[in-house]
Amino acid sequence: MNATEARSLISEIANSPGRLEKQKGLERLLADDLGRFIVKWTYDSFVTFGVTVKKRPTPVPEHNCVLSDGVVERVLTQLSTRELSGNAAKGELDMLFKALDEDSAEILFLILNKDLKAGIAESTIESVLPGFLQLFGVMRAHPYEDKRVTKFPVPVEPKLDGMRVTFIAKEGKGAFFTRSGKAIPALQDLAAPLLEAARHVRQQAR
């Protein structure tokens, strides 16, 4: 499978009328190495890129790079580890988009935005290929019910109005996510001070 075929299949999945049809299309996508590459980088909730690409750059007539080339995976890896960030990331992506053919560039744009726009969710991927992704799960609250209280004291937490996010720290880096696992780039500037606060608390606890 090449990028043109993958983009066509993604479009087919997007236009599928029902869940079963989408699953069949997703099975075909995940049966291919390039398809698994695309789905993994797009839907792994524990991978974020730290960049926002609101509009895909206009492709140039001549290109010398395709999605399956190692350079694409290298750049995605450098973004995910924040080896590339800020203006350096923007410059590298600008050059990469210009080097890619149109179909490869469109898929890269979707990957960077963490959504193939095909009506695919992590639960659908899990049903087709169990264990392929790290599942993102957060503890949900339950409304108070007498039958749930069997003894006292009982820990409770008031529900306050505001923006609810999940912060995940791993290997010295961190990112904010919604409860469904979507990254929130707008809060990323808060990651460094939050990590520093966590390190301070950990040192105090020793």
Side-chain angles (χ1 to χ4, degrees), residues 5-194:
E5 294 166 335
R7 185 181 180 186
S8 176
L9 181 52
I10 291 168
S11 178
E12 182 182 323
I13 295 170
N15 294 320
S16 296
R19 179 178 59 84
L20 293 179
E21 288 79 5
K22 286 186 182 295
Q23 285 185 343
K24 290 179 181 178
L26 185 58
E27 286 174 1
R28 290 162 53 198
L29 188 63
L30 289 172
D32 184 84
D33 288 341
L34 183 60
R36 288 192 295 275
F37 172 89
I38 294 168
V39 172
K40 181 73 172 178
W41 280 106
T42 305
Y43 290 102
D44 189 334
S45 297
F46 293 90
V47 172
T48 61
F49 302 114
V51 295
T52 301
V53 184
K54 295 182 178 180
K55 184 178 180 181
R56 180 170 67 83
T58 303
V60 296
E62 296 182 6
H63 62 85
N64 55 15
C65 183
V66 295
L67 189 67
S68 57
D69 286 350
V71 64
V72 177
E73 184 170 16
R74 175 183 61 78
V75 171
L76 289 174
T77 300
Q78 290 176 326
L79 290 171
S80 68
T81 60
R82 302 302 187 269
E83 183 181 341
L84 274 176
S85 61
N87 289 333
K90 183 180 182 301
E92 189 75 16
L93 283 174
D94 284 345
M95 289 189 294
L96 182 56
F97 272 113
K98 290 177 182 178
L100 289 170
D101 65 277
E102 183 172 357
D103 293 313
S104 295
E106 176 62 23
I107 293 175
L108 177 60
F109 174 75
L110 296 173
I111 290 174
L112 291 171
N113 283 281
K114 304 292 285 182
D115 188 356
L116 294 181
K117 304 295 184 184
I120 297 173
E122 288 85 347
S123 57
T124 311
I125 299 168
E126 177 68 12
S127 68
V128 172
L129 192 58
F132 181 64
L133 295 179
Q134 301 179 75
L135 294 183
F136 187 96
V138 297
M139 184 180 293
R140 300 297 178 94
H142 293 281
Y144 174 79
E145 295 180 61
D146 286 336
K147 66 181 181 180
R148 294 182 182 274
V149 180
T150 58
K151 62 181 181 178
F152 287 93
V154 178
V156 297
E157 182 178 345
K159 183 177 181 181
L160 304 175
D161 290 335
M163 186 177 187
R164 287 174 171 78
V165 300
T166 298
F167 182 76
I168 294 180
K170 185 179 181 182
E171 298 178 355
K173 302 182 185 300
F176 294 87
F177 300 88
T178 66
R179 292 193 302 174
S180 61
K182 298 295 184 183
I184 310 176
L187 298 180
Q188 195 57 39
D189 287 343
L190 300 175
L194 187 54

Side-chain angles (χ1 to χ4, degrees), residues 193-205:
L194 187 54
L195 285 169
E196 184 58 34
R199 293 188 189 100
H200 179 74
V201 171
R202 185 176 182 182
Q203 290 172 354
Q204 294 297 316

